[in-house]
C-alpha cells in the first residue's frame, strides 16, 4: 500500500453541462428554480442556471480517490460555497494532503477561472484494517 505525502495535490477539472444537470436533477429530485429554470435563475441575477452544489462538490471525490487510492474511503467532507456556479463554467477541484497517518486529511479548493468558489476539507479512512 502506498500513502500520499503531505503537501501532495491533484486537480480534477470539468465543465458542468446541461446534460449533467439533468442527471443530477433525476438523482436528487431537486426541482428548485435556480437549478432547472433559466428564466428564474436569470431573474435572480445569474447568467444561467445554477450548478447543483453537491454535483460541483462531487468533483472533489475524483481528486481524493486519485490521491489516496482504492484502500481509502471518504469518512468526512465539508464544503463552503462562496458564490453560485453556473452551467458551462469549468471547476478546477483541487485536493491537497494536509495529514498522513491512520487517516488522511485534505484541504479542498475549487476555482472557476482565477476565482475561488469552493473551500472545504475532507478526511479519509481505510476501507478495512486488512487492506
Amino acid at each position: 500500500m502506498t500513502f500520499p505525502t503531505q503537501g501532495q495535490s491533484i486537480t480534477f477539472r470539468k465543465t458542468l453541462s446541461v446534460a449533467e444537470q439533468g442527471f443530477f436533477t433525476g438523482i436528487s429530485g431537486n426541482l428548485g428554480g435556480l437549478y432547472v429554470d433559466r428564466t428564474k435563475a436569470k431573474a435572480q441575477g445569474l447568467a444561467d442556471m445554477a450548478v447543483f452544489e453537491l454535483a460541483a462538490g462531487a468533483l472533489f471525490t475524483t481528486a481524493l480517490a486519485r490521491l489516496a487510492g482504492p484502500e481509502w474511503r471518504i469518512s468526512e467532507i465539508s464544503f463552503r460555497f462562496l458564490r453560485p456556479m453556473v452551467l458551462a463554467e469549468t471547476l478546477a477541484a483541487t485536493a491537497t494532503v494536509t495529514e498522513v497517518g491512520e487517516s488522511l486529511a485534505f484541504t479542498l479548493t475549487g476555482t472557476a477561472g482565477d476565482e475561488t468558489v469552493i473551500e472545504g476539507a475532507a478526511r479519509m479512512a481505510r476501507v478495512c484494517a486488512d487492506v
Side-chain angles (χ1 to χ4, degrees):
M1 171 182 357
T2 61
F3 282 78
T5 58
Q6 191 164 350
Q8 185 178 2
S9 68
I10 288 181
T11 299
F12 177 68
R13 287 178 180 77
K14 183 155 185 48
T15 302
L16 300 158
S17 72
V18 172
E20 290 150 340
Q21 191 83 340
F23 288 131
F24 197 82
T25 299
I27 290 168
S28 69
N30 185 344
L31 296 173
L34 290 177
Y35 307 103
V36 300
D37 186 323
R38 280 196 167 102
T39 303
K40 288 182 180 179
K42 288 180 178 186
Q44 293 298 315
L46 298 179
D48 201 342
M49 292 182 291
V51 169
F52 287 105
E53 291 84 0
L54 290 181
L59 301 185
F60 289 96
T61 67
T62 299
L64 291 167
R66 288 180 181 173
L67 274 171
E71 300 90 12
W72 299 87
R73 64 173 184 80
I74 297 169
S75 59
E76 297 175 37
I77 195 164
S78 65
F79 300 109
R80 188 175 131 210
F81 300 93
L82 305 176
R83 71 151 171 89
M85 288 191 62
V86 296
L87 293 181
E89 279 194 283
T90 299
L91 178 66
T94 302
T96 303
V97 180
T98 58
E99 181 183 320
V100 176
E102 289 300 311
S103 65
L104 305 173
F106 303 83
T107 58
L108 307 174
T109 306
T111 57
D114 293 333
E115 182 182 5
T116 298
V117 295
I118 302 172
E119 297 174 334
R123 187 166 290 277
M124 297 184 82
R126 289 189 181 149
V127 172
C128 64
D130 296 336
V131 175

